[in-house]
Amino acid sequence: VNIGEDPADPVFYISDLLPHLAARQNQRSLAEGIKGEELNILIGSIPYPEKGLKDPVKLKVLQILNEKYGIVEADFYRAELEIFAAGPARDVGFDRSLIASAAHDDRVCAYPALRAELDTLHPTYTTVTILTDKEEIGSVGNTGLHSDYVRHYLEYLAENAGVSYKDMIQHALCLSSDVSAAFDPTFPDVYEAGNSCYLGKGCVLTKYTGARGKSGSNDASAEFVGKLRKVMDDADVSFQTAELGKVDIGGGGTIAYILANLDMNVIDSGIAVQNMHAPYEVISKADLYETLKGYEAFLKNA
């Protein structure tokens, strides 16, 4: 089900108070300004043409869903229909050097990772690309990376090749593909300018993430970083290194530590993003291209 990307599709709407009646709302803190229970979505207003019904507008909407998708009301017990703020990806700037889109984090990392895997036809070693689920809510469930499904898959891979799983995993090298926060000159006080990534300066390598420094983080070894640097330099890939904001301001985490717990070498790599976690996020076309080049070089030569 995909509604809203075709220009002929309808869109959906969440209403808010008009400023004339928002005096009490304006007294809320920024963290409380938008409450989940207030995000009610307008999806229709025409009633079903039959008198005496309890919810005639609801019934009319259900009729439309049934005719178009074969859905009945009971299907909502299990349906994963989600409504989110989105729009078509657009070029940004007079020079069209940037891309604004919903959910760059992490579609903009999954795309070059998958492209590199599909385009690398004769790698030196066996390559695996994992597109995993639930990262933003803690990598939970049997489709999140805290599940053992990746370990089980790699064990089957080793068994089928007749090699030791332990030997294989100890020699494995991994890029954990996730975005990083691009330096924003509007809010320079939360960034360390000398340790930030920037739009247009290439693929981002992050030796460690975490909060207040390295807390909750993977920390890539010096040997692995050195090897990866050579791979990137030999392939003429533009890359930059960064951490996520000032040490004492906050920080962020990725799933790299989960893979590192399997006993493989892991480093975070990805693309610099401005306006992260907003309905529209911004990345550089040059960074996307260099990241694709970097992933291809890694799969071929690491």
Side-chain angles (χ1 to χ4, degrees), residues 36 217 262:
S217 169
L262 293 177

Side-chain angles (χ1 to χ4, degrees), residues 17-87:
L17 276 175
L18 63 162
H20 310 71
L21 302 178
R24 284 186 295 179
Q25 186 188 59
N26 290 338
Q27 295 173 6
R28 297 177 184 175
S29 68
L30 186 61
E32 299 174 339
I34 299 173
K35 297 182 178 181
E37 288 73 19
E38 295 173 350
L39 300 177
N40 293 309
I41 303 158
L42 298 177
I43 61 173
S45 64
I46 297 175
Y48 191 83
E50 183 178 320
K51 294 183 179 180
L53 297 174
K54 182 180 178 181
D55 296 305
V57 174
K58 170 184 169 182
L59 185 58
K60 182 63 178 178
V61 170
L62 286 171
Q63 180 192 29
I64 294 170
L65 290 174
N66 181 258
E67 291 174 352
K68 191 171 179 68
Y69 302 109
I71 293 173
V72 297
E73 186 172 7
D75 289 330
F76 283 92
Y77 285 120
R78 62 178 178 84
E80 291 187 341
L81 294 174
E82 297 161 350
I83 296 179
F84 59 95

Side-chain angles (χ1 to χ4, degrees), residues 241-254:
T241 59
E243 61 182 25
L244 190 62
K246 286 184 176 178
V247 172
D248 295 327
I249 288 293
T254 68

Side-chain angles (χ1 to χ4, degrees), residues 120-273:
T120 304
L121 302 180
H122 302 288
T124 304
Y125 300 102
T126 300
T127 64
V128 174
T129 295
I130 303 164
L131 304 179
T132 193
D133 195 15
K134 303 290 194 293
E135 185 265 344
E136 294 293 356
I137 62 169
S139 297
V140 295
N142 66 347
T143 57
L145 212 58
H146 274 301
S147 165
D148 281 341
Y149 79 91
V150 171
R151 181 174 62 84
H152 292 161
Y153 168 74
L154 294 176
E155 287 175 344
Y156 290 137
L157 195 67
E159 289 172 6
N160 289 337
V163 299
S164 163
Y165 166 76
K166 291 180 181 179
D167 287 345
M168 181 187 75
I169 207 71
Q170 288 169 4
H171 288 86
L173 306 177
C174 176
L175 300 183
S176 177
S177 188
D178 202 345
V179 299
S180 188
F183 183 86
D184 190 335
T186 305
F187 306 102
D189 55 312
V190 299
Y191 296 91
E192 169 55 52
N195 288 314
S196 294
C197 56
Y198 293 80
L199 294 177
K201 291 193 174 184
C203 177
V204 183
L205 301 180
T206 306
K207 189 175 186 294
Y208 59 87
T209 56
R212 303 290 189 266
K214 299 181 181 181
S215 177
S217 169
N218 168 64
D219 187 9
S221 71
E223 292 83 0
F224 180 36
V225 177
K227 181 179 181 65
L228 185 59
R229 175 187 167 191
K230 185 177 188 308
V231 168
M232 297 294 188
D233 285 343
D234 289 347
D236 196 27
V237 175
S238 295
F239 68 91
Q240 53 187 319
T241 59
E243 61 182 25
L244 190 62
K246 286 184 176 178
V247 172
D248 295 327
I249 288 293
T254 68
I255 61 176
Y257 75 96
I258 304 174
L259 293 163
N261 285 342
L262 293 177
D263 196 18
M264 66 172 69
N265 287 288
V266 187
I267 189 171
D268 282 291
S269 70
I271 295 171
V273 173

